[in-house]
Amino acid sequence: MQFRDLRKQYELHKSDFDAAIESVLQGTDFIHGKKVVELEKKLAEYVGVKHCITCANGTDALQLALMTWNIGAGDAVFVPDFTFFSSGEVVSTVGAIPVFVDISEETFNINPKKLEQAIKKVKTDGKLVPKVVVAVDLFGQPADYQEIKRICKEYGLLLLEDGAQGFGGRIGTKKVCSFGDISTTSFFPAKPLGCYGDGGAVFTDNDEWAALLRSLCVHGKGEDKYDNVRIGMNSRLDTIQAAVLDVKLGFLDEDLEACDKVAKSYSEKLNGSVGVPEIRNSYFSAWAQYTILLKDSDERDKVMKALKDEGIPSNIYYVKPMHKQCAFVDTLYTVDDYNVTTDICRRCLSLPMHPYLEEDDIRRITDVINEAVK
Ligand SMILES: *Cc1c(COP(=O)(O)O)cnc(C)c1O
């Protein structure tokens, strides 16, 4: 059994993928090809924002957003304590200080109350200037944007949505990657919309920022790439990846509906014996992960072993809170005890999640888990 079945997906749509890749090979427009331009248009339309600028990966996408806003030394950027390393890494890359904020146990996403407390504390301390909130749509569920936007407005902060795990998710009809002043995603193969290598994208409605982003991702180009008006990056999505993504975008919604059915079936069979993910009312998750909570780390070890013995893969996302990553030790700015994240890191476990899991597979997986925790 696969944790995320990319092979099955390839086999099901093989002729489309092969034809799309072949056509780029024939066209030899490997960088900045016409498929890249087409894809950006389609992605912007899908999300419902004015501009989509593709780039080399989801980490660069976040960094490009911070560079666009000129974030750097002396600035505080608020980041959830429970996320993939990139969400905080880019803050340090541009020379600013990441201020980690604890999460809500129910959603795994940044806790708005604690965010507000953190902003107040940084303001009172007076050492850093609060500038940006990074909200992550962790495991596929959009963050609590109603509250987060209210807070950003009240304190004059910019909102950066890290939608790397949430692409295709939504609140009501409003899609992930449309919530931030700038939003980003990743096309890493295992993400909800993944390519066959690395890729990423930045989304915004703001014309001026879009123009800056277009410059920053090609060496800070001015009139052309040999006229350099600012320090930028070399961060581009190549045309083969764009062609792959164009095929996948065609069946993304269908796949996500199938994942949502899998999640519902998991939760039905597991509820009562382990903690199951809660999706808020009118929220739709892209199900980058289906993550359960065990009683403690001993029970998690037991469940992982029982699954492994049956040939069922499972993974721990994430083993360590961000504030415990030693890369941040010199700049750590503590605003909380991070009890929720610390506790969840000891108890969380992600199960196989993809559109091709059958009822029989789900039954097998949940039987093993229910038996192990008895
Ligand atoms: C995967 C991921 C990223 C980084 O994406 P890459 O394309 O691997 O650079 C950033 N943030 C989150 C939340 C992610 O899951």
Side-chain angles (χ1 to χ4, degrees):
M1 191 183 296
Q2 301 293 311
F3 191 72
R4 215 152 172 103
D5 204 341
L6 296 176
R7 172 173 296 277
K8 174 101 184 203
Q9 189 187 53
Y10 173 63
E11 280 164 1
L12 271 172
H13 304 274
K14 185 176 186 313
S15 56
D16 290 341
F17 284 125
D18 290 356
I21 292 169
E22 166 84 20
S23 118
V24 179
L25 297 182
Q26 294 291 348
T28 64
D29 54 349
F30 300 117
I31 296 292
H32 274 312
K34 81 170 187 294
K35 268 286 171 196
V36 178
V37 180
E38 277 174 34
L39 179 76
E40 287 180 341
K41 234 176 122 190
K42 283 192 193 175
L43 288 171
E45 242 163 59
Y46 179 87
V47 168
V49 297
K50 208 162 159 194
H51 305 281
C52 167
I53 299 99
T54 53
C55 63
N57 56 68
T59 309
D60 282 5
L62 290 164
Q63 187 181 330
L64 285 161
L66 295 178
M67 287 169 80
T68 299
W69 289 335
N70 212 10
I71 302 303
D75 295 336
V77 177
F78 300 86
V79 178
D81 197 35
F82 192 57
T83 180
F84 180 64
F85 187 60
S86 289
S87 319
E89 178 183 29
V90 293
V91 177
S92 300
T93 307
V94 301
I97 302 291
V99 178
F100 299 114
V101 179
D102 210 356
I103 55 159
S104 306
E105 172 164 348
E106 300 75 39
T107 60
F108 302 121
N109 280 329
I110 197 165
N111 181 328
K113 275 206 191 79
K114 293 197 167 174
L115 171 63
E116 192 159 7
Q117 285 166 11
I119 296 167
K120 280 186 181 153
K121 180 160 193 307
V122 170
K123 280 189 103 124
T124 313
D125 289 355
K127 294 193 198 96
L128 299 170
V129 185
K131 285 277 177 75
V132 178
V133 174
V134 177
V136 180
D137 305 315
L138 203 77
F139 301 152
Q141 171 159 226
D144 181 355
Y145 287 108
Q146 202 181 341
E147 268 302 288
I148 295 168
K149 282 189 175 207
R150 181 193 64 75
I151 293 165
C152 284
K153 200 161 168 207
E154 181 163 344
Y155 295 88
L157 306 188
L158 291 160
L159 175 58
L160 173 53
E161 176 186 9
D162 179 352
Q165 300 186 11
F167 198 85
R170 57 184 192 264
I171 304 175
T173 55
K174 195 167 163 56
K175 291 248 174 54
V176 156
C177 286
S178 72
F179 296 104
D181 294 303
I182 296 182
S183 305
T184 65
T185 197
S186 161
F187 303 126
F188 181 80
K191 308 279 172 168
L193 180 64
C195 59
Y196 286 172
D198 275 310
V202 189
F203 298 85
T204 186
D205 277 324
N206 183 301
D207 298 341
E208 194 184 320
W209 293 339
L212 267 172
L213 286 159
R214 291 236 173 259
S215 164
L216 285 166
C217 68
V218 186
H219 307 286
K221 71 173 176 173
E223 290 297 307
D224 61 59
K225 72 171 164 176
Y226 302 107
D227 171 36
N228 307 93
V229 297
R230 56 180 65 83
I231 300 300
M233 299 173 77
N234 172 25
S235 187
R236 297 178 289 225
L237 184 77
D238 68 70
T239 315
I240 290 184
Q241 300 309 333
V244 169
L245 287 166
D246 183 41
V247 173
K248 287 210 192 184
L249 191 60
F251 55 81
L252 176 68
D253 284 345
E254 197 183 309
D255 273 10
L256 294 186
E257 284 299 335
C259 286
D260 198 50
K261 284 215 180 75
V262 171
K264 288 197 170 104
S265 178
Y266 265 141
S267 293
E268 222 177 80
K269 296 173 178 65
L270 288 170
N271 205 4
S273 62
V274 304
V276 298
E278 279 177 39
I279 303 302
R280 304 182 70 202
N281 221 346
S282 85
Y283 280 50
F284 182 83
S285 175
W287 292 111
Q289 305 295 341
Y290 181 90
T291 303
I292 59 170
L293 289 176
L294 289 314
K295 220 166 50 215
D296 49 33
S297 66
D298 286 346
E299 191 180 78
R300 180 170 69 183
D301 289 347
K302 206 158 83 181
V303 169
M304 273 191 101
K305 187 179 177 308
L307 289 168
K308 189 159 179 245
D309 289 346
E310 290 295 318
I312 300 163
S314 63
N315 284 310
I316 301 172
Y317 299 115
Y318 295 94
V319 181
K320 238 190 220 186
M322 293 290 269
H323 79 277
K324 283 276 163 64
Q325 293 286 5
C326 73
F328 297 121
V329 76
D330 293 335
T331 57
L332 203 61
Y333 193 107
T334 308
V335 292
D336 192 1
D337 51 20
Y338 306 113
N339 278 341
V340 176
T341 301
T342 305
D343 173 51
I344 281 176
C345 286
R346 292 191 194 112
R347 304 195 288 126
C348 60
L349 186 67
S350 300
L351 305 180
M353 174 47 87
H354 55 76
Y356 319 113
L357 281 168
E358 310 268 354
E359 254 322 281
D360 284 352
D361 301 321
I362 300 167
R363 170 72 57 197
R364 236 185 88 211
I365 297 166
T366 53
D367 280 352
V368 173
I369 296 170
N370 287 333
E371 184 60 33
V373 301
K374 230 186 213 162

